[in-house]
Amino acid sequence: MPRPTIGIWLVGVKGGVAATTIVGLCALKQGAVDDAGLVSQLPQFRGLGLADWSRFLVGGHEIRDVRLFDEAMRLVTESRVIGRELVEACRAELDLIDQRTRPGTIRSVGPTIEQFASAGVPREESPRQAIARLQKDLSEFQQSHGLEHVIVVNVASTEPPLDRSLLPASWPELERELDGPAGGRLPASTLYAIAALDLGLSYINFTPSLGSSPPAVGELARLRRTRHMGCDGKTGETLLKSVLAPLFFCRHLPVMSWVGHNIFGNMDGKVLNDPVNKQTKIASKDRLLGQILGYRPQTLVSIEYIESLGDWKTAWDHVHFRGFLGTPMTLQFIWQGCDSLLAAPLVLDLVRFTELAWRRGELGALTFLASFFKSPYEVDQQSFIHQFQMLEAWAGRERG
Amino acid sequence: MPRPTIGIWLVGVKGGVAATTIVGLCALKQGAVDDAGLVSQLPQFRGLGLADWSRFLVGGHEIRDVRLFDEAMRLVTESRVIGRELVEACRAELDLIDQRTRPGTIRSVGPTIEQFASAGVPREESPRQAIARLQKDLSEFQQSHGLEHVIVVNVASTEPPLDRSLLPASWPELERELDGPAGGRLPASTLYAIAALDLGLSYINFTPSLGSSPPAVGELARLRRTRHMGCDGKTGETLLKSVLAPLFFCRHLPVMSWVGHNIFGNMDGKVLNDPVNKQTKIASKDRLLGQILGYRPQTLVSIEYIESLGDWKTAWDHVHFRGFLGTPMTLQFIWQGCDSLLAAPLVLDLVRFTELAWRRGELGALTFLASFFKSPYEVDQQSFIHQFQMLEAWAGRERG
Amino acid sequence: MPRPTIGIWLVGVKGGVAATTIVGLCALKQGAVDDAGLVSQLPQFRGLGLADWSRFLVGGHEIRDVRLFDEAMRLVTESRVIGRELVEACRAELDLIDQRTRPGTIRSVGPTIEQFASAGVPREESPRQAIARLQKDLSEFQQSHGLEHVIVVNVASTEPPLDRSLLPASWPELERELDGPAGGRLPASTLYAIAALDLGLSYINFTPSLGSSPPAVGELARLRRTRHMGCDGKTGETLLKSVLAPLFFCRHLPVMSWVGHNIFGNMDGKVLNDPVNKQTKIASKDRLLGQILGYRPQTLVSIEYIESLGDWKTAWDHVHFRGFLGTPMTLQFIWQGCDSLLAAPLVLDLVRFTELAWRRGELGALTFLASFFKSPYEVDQQSFIHQFQMLEAWAGRERG
Amino acid sequence: MPRPTIGIWLVGVKGGVAATTIVGLCALKQGAVDDAGLVSQLPQFRGLGLADWSRFLVGGHEIRDVRLFDEAMRLVTESRVIGRELVEACRAELDLIDQRTRPGTIRSVGPTIEQFASAGVPREESPRQAIARLQKDLSEFQQSHGLEHVIVVNVASTEPPLDRSLLPASWPELERELDGPAGGRLPASTLYAIAALDLGLSYINFTPSLGSSPPAVGELARLRRTRHMGCDGKTGETLLKSVLAPLFFCRHLPVMSWVGHNIFGNMDGKVLNDPVNKQTKIASKDRLLGQILGYRPQTLVSIEYIESLGDWKTAWDHVHFRGFLGTPMTLQFIWQGCDSLLAAPLVLDLVRFTELAWRRGELGALTFLASFFKSPYEVDQQSFIHQFQMLEAWAGRERG
């Protein structure tokens, strides 16, 4: 097997999505699983020269003091979503990644996330100090493993929302104010993004947290001739919305109301149970309907923590629409998916597509990845199939 | 209001879809309803020069001996899907269409449909005689109302299936054998299609019946320099399949099984309760999954007649798919739509688009209409959004 | 038809439940509808001597300035739950009841309800003055129509919750403090209850509001030798809980979580959209699971106002339980019922059973009516079938 | 641990229900699982003197040539319903039961079941010979393990239906005709029942097959002073029907139609995919609605084999009912349960209750066990809660 040359640096490396991504990557390397769920393995992306699984090496930041193997086993015993044998076969790899884990930062993550932080996570550093420390971790990871490039992916818990208009619009201004009031507002996700992009690394924000979404941080990406994309992986209920809403639009069936109730019980759910953190997520889930339909029906989105469900995210959506002659009709759907298992393959896909974009020298927001996100940066198109066509068109261009 | 110049000739003019189409057209002329459900009223089709509602006049064939007003009222009192005031305001128009109704044919429609035929429907005519009689009705309709063109739309009950390979492949052969064994096999829907196309009229098959689908009949359309399209209006469960299956394909989530149970209680349901007639429908509903996914998951489609539901067609679909690492997950949906109210606006859309195609001189199968049908003639693409893009592209070309 | 001798006095006489009750009673008198939904018409209650529909005359209190006919028509045009002909046939009766309506009270009903009050509703009266005024209305109603007895039923909007421990435990104490701090806390529903019971009338609380539930008010009922019962009519999701929870108990299937989301769009829903008023309702809906199961699973109950649904209350419940060997399983149900049409027949049933209890001289809380309520006064049994057996047993005793 | 003194003889000992029962009994003996799902462990049955788990020893008949451990592992790997560690901990016990397994009979089981039979299953024996052989197996089991009593439980696949009126009404007649036409019609399940009862053993029919339901076989039970009960364990959709239908009855809500679609993918499902075998099951599932409601709504019950679901039985039920003023409303439920895990604890409960009935000398049909069955012998009551009250009343009597 060839030596890995590309690093995947996961922010929140011991959470459920990360654990599943790591077990999955390990199982793929071992040939223990097939490629179900992996978009990058579809026939239309063959011949693009996407990197093999063996090319990737994982490390990451984490604020909790847990063992990756234990976290992965919870998906076996509590949520019953992964086979025990898969996790056991990856045990050595999981233990190695424990050693490639560094303490993250909890700047402006809010009290619900803070409570999980271990003693080793610094409490007193300034934004500038935090960025420097995170960059040191990233550089050491890259150098000690001789990696050609590192892709940083944020899969940490969702932070409370921040009003982006409070931040300076340009990178030079933001850079100047890093230790002033503007910098003080920056949540951890943005500090990781700055740390990565400033080093010329690629950055992917898989969560609804602020990450690289401020224009000033996007500018940094272009200044450092690197790339980024986000935000908020589109895995379940919102994915369905982005598939079904175009139907109502194309058939001219006015949606009167769209109600979506989500229940699940993993760590992510525990954090989202804080109304402040939940607000960030709900805004991201709720935005796209208006964009697709061209008007704003009454909407309701709830996300509730129901412990017994573990990783099984269950969504009930009730769509009430007007048919011909004004007659009201109803579509309801019930989605029962494993949150981490829906997210993890997309993380791997994003890393592979981003790695290719790095080799091809693409800069700024990777808009062709819009179909992976609930709130894609710099893209207004919210219809999933149209977004997917953007990916196919990019692949077509890449192949020439 | 300008004089109507385009005829809509409905085969099965007193069935639920026809009654709803007629009440709807009447209400649109009166400005009593808005354009919910009408695809042709979408912004992207403005400026195409589609005909106004006032341009259309309705007549039709029917085998039952009922009054159109009574049929329309059943949608008010039994199914509770149309407001009473809408039907009452159209009463005069409904009574006029009773006068513009001629006896249909029941050749090879099977015993379940035959039992509904009134005494006035001929029992003894040959295929050639039937075609001649139907053509006489069509020509009288066109001439007596001074219509520039007539579009024949089949909205009659679903016939038993026929093996198309038993029919001659070319129109001259089929024409020769009309009163022989091949002609004897032709069901009513195909006789209507031949009658219409041979006169140069346009023909739309909104049902899964054979209609104009035999190659020989398609050839006739081109020979007579006219146009046709079908088949089987895509209104509910199958529409959702054609929207959701592409999601599973694009996300590389292998579908293991897709179960769909449909229940409803209108006349259409009564006919489909006959296993032979049902077979035609189920084949049409079941085909597209394999075409979209590229493999054939286990599928099950049922359609059952539940009297109390009337026109409310309820579908429960259970999709069982494999996620990352092989974990099975589930999507279920429940669709509660009014069958006739979903079909009727599509009939009006099809008529308007076909009328424009007539003015522009388009010939043969109108493939740009694929998104309206479960089994579109001469089109392999089954993804709804991709089909809809064909319609938008056509509109773009037409506008220039 | 015999002269009516029993009064039904509805508090909230122009709300949806009242309008439906009145149209229903009128249609029953006319023989225009059958007895679907009426428990008192079941065979097991024949021969009890329950009063005929013709025996009842309706009046009531209301705080809004609307016409009953208009309110009833909204159930025809907006919610599409009642046939137009039924309401039109009752128009004269509805107009008469407009004349038998008196202004209610808005003491301590909270701002969400207050905003609907018309100018004619007194703002400045003390609790004692309010009671005296309401009693004057009740006495005039009884005397002017020569009624032998009047049954007051609260079907007004749900008030904010009140801590009952803040009220004196006995009637003499409460009576003394009526114009003091304790009296100042009493919400409208309790003032109506005091007014009715103090006159020896019967009182039924169909809502979760405080009503006659304080012990001091229950004491008043016994002191005045009259009767009362409540609270919160059990019509939909909670009714199903009281039927399904015993199943999980009897089969020893531990419920891990029970989530219930309710959406609807009538006036009641608008009031419950206020989190304070909603709290009263949710407490009433959430209590019974623990009482039936003997332990408290994680529960979640939401009620949300979705305007387009009108009177169609839709509930999705997700029950997650542990089976043999600890395997988690799921039951989900979707309930689509018309809120007012489920409540109205129960109001009529309660009036009939209460009238008989009055003739038989039964005093205090009518516990045999437990099956009609979410939170039955003085009854711990929450299993619906067991509660229904209490009703059957009472009927058996009454018949001798 | 005390020596086992009671035998459980499972007919179909290597099927899914049997394998789960055996693993469960083993895990209960080891204290590895709690008592979820076990009715006999409810507080109301404490103090009855039910036998401890350690008292039971398992053997059985089987027609397939498979290892019990492999069958149990399929529930781990294919259906994902049992934890791997539970099955592994029982491996020795499962291997022992392989040795206590004897070839069953396939007389009149129909071709779908026959195809699974191994070479060792006799093909040529007469009914009388079959009974004698089965009795020899039972006696050897009892004697070689020194068992005081043996309870035979039928958990084999469902046989095609048989018209019971074709059988003689009394045991002496049937006994005489065993090798004549009447005997020739007897399916395997009845031969097992005769074999057991004739030896004075107890017999429980957990399937809808004929078993001991013919009056002549019931007479045999009484003649031999033993006991039996059946039929068709009530585990999922029908259990819910028997809980929900009483609600519609008690609230006087006329059910217009009740549709139930069941899908699952275990061996039982494969057999039920044969329309003939399915007929037996559907009749059993469909009967109770009419008995509870007092009238027959339109009903539809389907059971379909969907391989990917394995042991996960999913049912969608759609109940359409008339509310007050005739307004139609809907209740739908979706049940996702593991078929074998719902059945197995009931088998253990039935064995324990039957063992106690044996000690107390109860004879004939054990009607107090009605709540466990879809079609309880000699019981008309179909409401689950009422049936459960029969069990509680029996327990009360037994306790004195």
Side-chain angles (χ1 to χ4, degrees), chain A residues 80, chain C residues 256 321-329, chain D residues 33-34 36 81 86 341:
Chain A
R80 300 173 173 233
Chain C
M256 296 184 289
F321 60 98
R322 288 175 65 240
F324 193 46
L325 311 184
T327 302
M329 309 185 188
Chain D
V33 295
D34 68 12
V81 296
L86 285 181
L341 285 160

Side-chain angles (χ1 to χ4, degrees), chain C residues 37-38 81 234 252 327 332 334, chain D residues 37-38 81 251-252 327 332:
Chain C
L38 289 157
V81 296
K234 189 157 69 180
H252 204 174
T327 302
Q332 297 172 76
I334 293 170
Chain D
L38 288 157
V81 296
R251 276 292 170 92
H252 204 176
T327 302
Q332 297 173 75

